[in-house]
Amino acid sequence: RLGSEVHIEIKDSNRPDIWSVEGLARALRGYLGIERGLKRYRITGKSGVKIEVDPRLEEIRPYIACAVIKGLDLDDVTIRSLIHLQDKLDLTYGRKRRRTSIGLYDFGLIKPPLEYTVSKPREISFVPLGFDEELTLEEILEKHPKGMEYGDIVRRFPLWPILYDSRKNVLSFPPIINSNDLGKVTEETEEVLVEVTGTRPDVVLNTLNMVAIAICDRGGEVYSAEIHYPYGKYRTVTTPDFFTEKMSFELEYLEKVLGLKIKPEEVKDLLLKARFGVSSINEKEVVVEVPFYR
């Protein structure tokens, strides 16, 4: 009712998809009966962004995933919400940026293709986000708050990750800090490049997916990027990937675990309420569609 408040505790949740306003709203629409079942997202097309990965990154920070979100109408509240989601995922799901870290950029300022490569600590310099002077990568670790906080992630390596566009403009020094020139999203930004780097390909992709659909829920359209690896099982990867998995379980098992006997129609209703899809259900078994962000 008007004026009432709902308090939701998600501190200990293993549901990173609800660590944002957009994700929480997505879940609540199911519980409140506003929407039911699986919410399907689609990739509008290809962004034209291609990323070449340097083989020397394999033992440092080997994986990257990207997407471009277009058609945005950003305001201060939306930007703050996205930054909150970025920080929350970096801190928790990303294990304080050791496993994954996220970068957001004004795509209108970037000229593809991109190059995910390495640099010596004193080899290049750029203006890091929040500063107005150029610093070398080594100086960023010594002087920038994020460098001092996360510098140990890269300090043990002789070469450090760097992300360029085709004009050799620095996008970021992953996982430390973005460029102040390209890595700042404002209310004038209409197209956002989302980039995630990390140590595990599945976690990197999951992180990108969660950020992409949060922006998508704000009215944006998602365009994919193409990653070219010199190592690994798959040499060319397209991201994001809004895949939907299916899993089945027997209702007898459900009854055993819960201690409740629930009719098939009730099971289906509860799954749809929780924003899962139901491919089929009978007296013995249910086949559930699991969204990619769960």
Side-chain angles (χ1 to χ4, degrees), residues 260-288:
L260 299 171
K261 189 170 182 62
I262 306 176
K263 296 178 180 179
E265 56 268 27
E266 293 176 313
V267 172
K268 181 178 180 179
D269 183 67
L270 289 169
L271 285 168
L272 295 176
K273 188 175 182 180
R275 306 309 304 270
F276 290 97
V278 177
S279 293
S280 64
I281 188 168
N282 53 43
E283 295 293 332
K284 292 185 176 182
E285 184 183 58
V286 58
V287 179
V288 183

Side-chain angles (χ1 to χ4, degrees), residues 104-173:
L104 303 174
Y105 311 87
D106 187 334
F107 185 60
L109 303 176
I110 296 168
K111 185 173 178 58
L114 308 184
E115 184 182 5
Y116 182 40
T117 184
V118 294
S119 170
K120 295 177 182 178
R122 300 178 184 178
E123 186 176 3
I124 65 163
S125 60
F126 69 96
V127 181
L129 192 63
F131 274 44
D132 55 11
E133 63 173 318
E134 284 194 357
L135 301 176
T136 65
L137 304 188
E138 186 176 65
E139 289 173 331
I140 288 173
L141 298 196
E142 296 170 351
K143 298 180 179 180
H144 197 284
K146 297 300 182 184
M148 291 184 280
E149 184 175 2
Y150 298 112
D152 286 345
I153 300 174
V154 298
R155 190 176 277 114
R156 60 193 176 96
F157 299 107
L159 298 172
W160 297 347
I162 198 78
L163 184 63
Y164 292 113
D165 74 357
S166 63
R167 295 172 291 196
K168 286 294 183 181
N169 291 329
V170 175
L171 277 71
S172 71
F173 168 21

Side-chain angles (χ1 to χ4, degrees), residues 31-186:
Y31 288 113
L32 297 175
I34 299 171
E35 295 178 359
R36 283 166 57 83
L38 190 70
K39 182 167 184 178
R40 300 187 186 276
Y41 293 87
R42 69 184 186 92
I43 296 171
T44 303
K46 298 179 180 180
S47 67
V49 172
K50 296 182 180 180
I51 303 174
E52 297 293 335
V53 179
D54 192 309
R56 292 172 291 179
L57 283 160
E58 186 172 13
E59 301 300 324
I60 304 171
R61 197 172 184 85
Y63 300 106
I64 185 169
C66 288
V68 175
I69 320 295
K70 300 183 179 182
L72 297 174
D73 184 14
L74 300 176
D75 57 22
D76 183 65
V77 173
T78 305
I79 294 170
R80 287 178 182 273
S81 176
L82 293 176
I83 293 173
H84 170 78
L85 174 60
Q86 177 185 8
D87 290 342
K88 186 69 174 178
L89 288 173
D90 281 350
L91 181 64
T92 54
Y93 193 62
R95 302 292 190 268
K96 295 184 178 180
R97 301 193 185 183
R98 291 185 180 276
R99 192 163 71 162
T100 60
S101 61
I102 304 161
L104 303 174
Y105 311 87
D106 187 334
F107 185 60
L109 303 176
I110 296 168
K111 185 173 178 58
L114 308 184
E115 184 182 5
Y116 182 40
T117 184
V118 294
S119 170
K120 295 177 182 178
R122 300 178 184 178
E123 186 176 3
I124 65 163
S125 60
F126 69 96
V127 181
L129 192 63
F131 274 44
D132 55 11
E133 63 173 318
E134 284 194 357
L135 301 176
T136 65
L137 304 188
E138 186 176 65
E139 289 173 331
I140 288 173
L141 298 196
E142 296 170 351
K143 298 180 179 180
H144 197 284
K146 297 300 182 184
M148 291 184 280
E149 184 175 2
Y150 298 112
D152 286 345
I153 300 174
V154 298
R155 190 176 277 114
R156 60 193 176 96
F157 299 107
L159 298 172
W160 297 347
I162 198 78
L163 184 63
Y164 292 113
D165 74 357
S166 63
R167 295 172 291 196
K168 286 294 183 181
N169 291 329
V170 175
L171 277 71
S172 71
F173 168 21
I176 310 301
I177 193 66
N178 285 3
S179 157
N180 195 65
D181 299 326
L182 304 181
K184 183 192 297 184
V185 174
T186 70

Side-chain angles (χ1 to χ4, degrees), residues 197-266:
T197 63
T199 57
R200 282 181 46 183
D202 56 334
V203 181
V204 167
L205 180 60
N206 290 343
T207 302
L208 175 68
N209 286 343
M210 284 185 282
V211 177
I213 62 171
I215 306 177
C216 187
D217 282 344
R218 292 282 187 174
E221 294 184 339
V222 181
Y223 291 80
S224 64
E226 192 175 281
I227 319 296
H228 296 278
Y229 288 105
Y231 46 75
K233 182 178 179 181
Y234 302 105
R235 295 305 176 95
T236 299
V237 178
T238 300
T239 63
D241 185 356
F242 296 160
F243 55 92
T244 298
E245 293 186 3
K246 290 185 179 181
M247 63 176 294
S248 62
F249 61 88
E250 295 180 354
L251 297 188
E252 183 181 354
Y253 173 75
L254 181 66
E255 182 180 345
K256 180 180 179 181
V257 173
L258 295 179
L260 299 171
K261 189 170 182 62
I262 306 176
K263 296 178 180 179
E265 56 268 27
E266 293 176 313

